[in-house]
Amino acid sequence: IALAGNKFDLSNKAVVSTQSTGDLPERMLMNKVASRLGLTRMTFQPYSHQQLLEIINSRLEGNTAFAPEACMLAARKVAAASGDARRALDICRLAIDIAEGESAPQVKSFHIQRAVTDMYQSI
């Protein structure tokens, strides 16, 4: 940041932010400041079930802890609700906890279903 007199010269600077909600600038900045920023928003589409399945499978590469149908169910449930990859991975983590609590050798579809139910009840 170059100093121009007593003020910072921000004329050639950019602020890049990623967020889950689209109203962060309005909520966090005063109107005077927000109006001078010149906001440009890029909205990304939610992940499809196929993309979520690829993300889940890439995290499980070489691991047989999940039945293939369990991965598909997690991907489809999350794609239908939000398309958020973080949510899909959270559901898989919770399903692992459920399966371990039952001493199950592998995460099955019913573990995913219970994890989905538990996760969306807690929201």
Side-chain angles (χ1 to χ4, degrees):
I1 297 176
L3 200 52
N6 291 333
K7 298 181 181 181
F8 290 107
D9 179 11
L10 298 176
S11 60
N12 63 350
K13 306 298 182 235
V15 175
V16 178
S17 162
T18 59
Q19 59 206 27
S20 296
T21 60
D23 65 343
L24 184 65
E26 290 82 3
R27 288 188 299 132
M28 301 302 289
L29 299 174
M30 296 184 310
N31 288 338
K32 226 192 238 188
V33 175
S35 66
R36 287 184 266 162
L37 285 179
L39 299 173
T40 301
R41 290 195 168 102
M42 294 177 61
T43 304
F44 296 95
Q45 295 300 312
Y47 287 110
S48 70
H49 76 275
Q50 189 59 43
Q51 291 169 317
L52 288 169
L53 183 60
E54 289 175 25
I55 291 167
I56 293 168
N57 284 335
S58 73
R59 294 290 181 102
L60 294 172
E61 195 170 320
N63 191 323
T64 59
F66 277 74
E69 66 274 5
C71 296
M72 178 60 80
L73 180 61
R76 287 191 179 277
K77 289 285 188 178
V78 174
S82 67
D84 187 338
R86 297 167 298 180
R87 179 72 60 176
L89 295 173
D90 287 344
I91 287 170
C92 289
R93 279 187 210 100
L94 184 53
I96 289 170
D97 291 343
I98 293 167
E100 284 179 345
E102 297 175 353
S103 300
Q106 192 176 46
V107 175
K108 301 284 188 179
S109 295
F110 62 90
H111 296 118
I112 295 291
Q113 187 59 53
R114 284 188 35 211
V116 168
T117 302
D118 291 354
M119 176 114 6
Y120 285 106
Q121 284 179 347
S122 67
I123 294 177

